[in-house]
Amino acid sequence: MPLTALEIQKAKPGEKVVKLSDGGGLQLWITPDGAKRWRLAYRFGGIQKTLAIGVYPAIGLKEAREARDSARRLLADGQDPGLVKKTAKTARAISSATTFAAIAEELLEKKRREDKAPRTLEKVEWLLGLAKPAIGSRPIAEIAATEVLDVLRKVEARGRLETARRMRSTIGEVFRFAIATGRCENDPTGALKGALVTPVARHRAAITEPEEFGGLLRAIATYDGMPETTTALKLLALTFVRPGELRSAEWCEFDLDTAVWAIPAEKMKMRRPHRVPLAPQAVDILKGLRAITGHGSLLFPSVRSPSRCMSENTINAALRRLGFGQEEMTGHGFRAAASSMLNECGRWNPDAIEAQLAHIEGNAVRRAYQRAEFWEERVRMMAWWADQCEEMRGSGVAER
């Protein structure tokens, strides 16, 4: 006799599984823990089988009967309902593993295993996150160039031209990874070259004239903020490393006796270890800083937590406070300033300057030559540069 909704609702568990029949093989199994599960008993190929339909009340009586009727139609057509359900589940799992979001996550995991710089990973993850709401759930093999273009155009419409350009490249990397792993056959981003507005190249703001740079150095000397911030600005001027490399610097990387700062590969943009010769002025500054932060591991700990380094905004905020707008000078601008003046003076081999800037030479033999031949020149160059900074700070004029 068919079940009723009230009968199902009032049914109580027993010491063993209680089975209530609705007819046509449909049963409601009530387990001792009180759970109620729909099951369909059927025979296929002379073998008694059971098909799980779902849990009550998520699957009500009406839905359970519809599932039973669908299974009976499959049986009439010579198909095993259990096998059909298993095949569909496998297909869904495969489909889920081939979505853009799933493959993007695989690519990110690959980059993590390759020990990419944390900042690089953050940027890639952020760019992919902008694309996922629109195409993340789509099977990657079905995504057309027009869909990707629509995602990029929305970013472009907000005035983020450079972000849209980088997104196209990053999305293309996901497609190429999918091609390499056999989950799609083409990269639609290739067809989008020229479809986006080309951003106008903007160089990081930097003061590159000696007289103006001297004014900057004098302003830094009068900075009345945190002493750690003043020190960071002075060291950026003397070492012209990337701001992130300075902010994350640890005392264990410094040998003040030999005047060398050895930056490990994992902190470098190009993932190669880098050595910085320290001029006597830089060593003196570091000795003064050690009295302030030498009790911890970081040279520039955050004011909020000693285990975290200074915020990336601190240096630029200090420059703004000193009166230098973002179109005039940035923390990264110290690199351009040093590079410009070192090259213009004509004293130093351009390759030695590039080596000190940690710009990677593409030729492996040339890289090895740089490491072997330019260290002594770089030591002399960094000492000369520190003397020049002192001269510029004093008079605003330096040797050209």
Side-chain angles (χ1 to χ4, degrees), residues 213-230:
F213 194 73
L216 169 63
L217 295 176
R218 287 192 296 275
I220 291 172
T222 65
Y223 184 68
D224 60 357
M226 297 285 289
E228 294 93 326
T229 306
T230 305

Side-chain angles (χ1 to χ4, degrees), residues 347-360:
R347 280 175 167 265
W348 312 104
N349 188 321
D351 286 338
I353 298 171
E354 290 297 289
Q356 191 52 54
L357 288 163
H359 289 164
I360 296 299

Side-chain angles (χ1 to χ4, degrees), residues 158-220:
R158 299 198 297 269
R160 308 294 295 275
L161 305 185
E162 180 61 23
T163 298
R165 185 187 70 81
R166 289 175 179 266
M167 274 185 70
R168 186 189 72 81
S169 175
T170 304
I171 291 172
E173 195 173 357
V174 176
F175 276 97
R176 291 189 291 277
F177 181 70
I179 292 170
T181 53
R183 286 172 286 185
C184 76
E185 296 182 356
N186 67 84
D187 172 15
T189 64
L192 301 181
K193 289 183 178 178
L196 299 174
V197 177
T198 302
V200 177
R202 295 180 180 176
H203 298 289
R204 287 186 172 94
I207 294 172
T208 58
E209 290 299 320
E211 186 171 351
E212 295 178 8
F213 194 73
L216 169 63
L217 295 176
R218 287 192 296 275
I220 291 172

Side-chain angles (χ1 to χ4, degrees), residues 11 44 77 130 158 271 287 324 359:
F44 186 83
D77 196 37
L130 295 177
R158 299 198 297 269
R271 315 306 280 169
K287 287 179 178 177
F324 297 90
H359 289 164

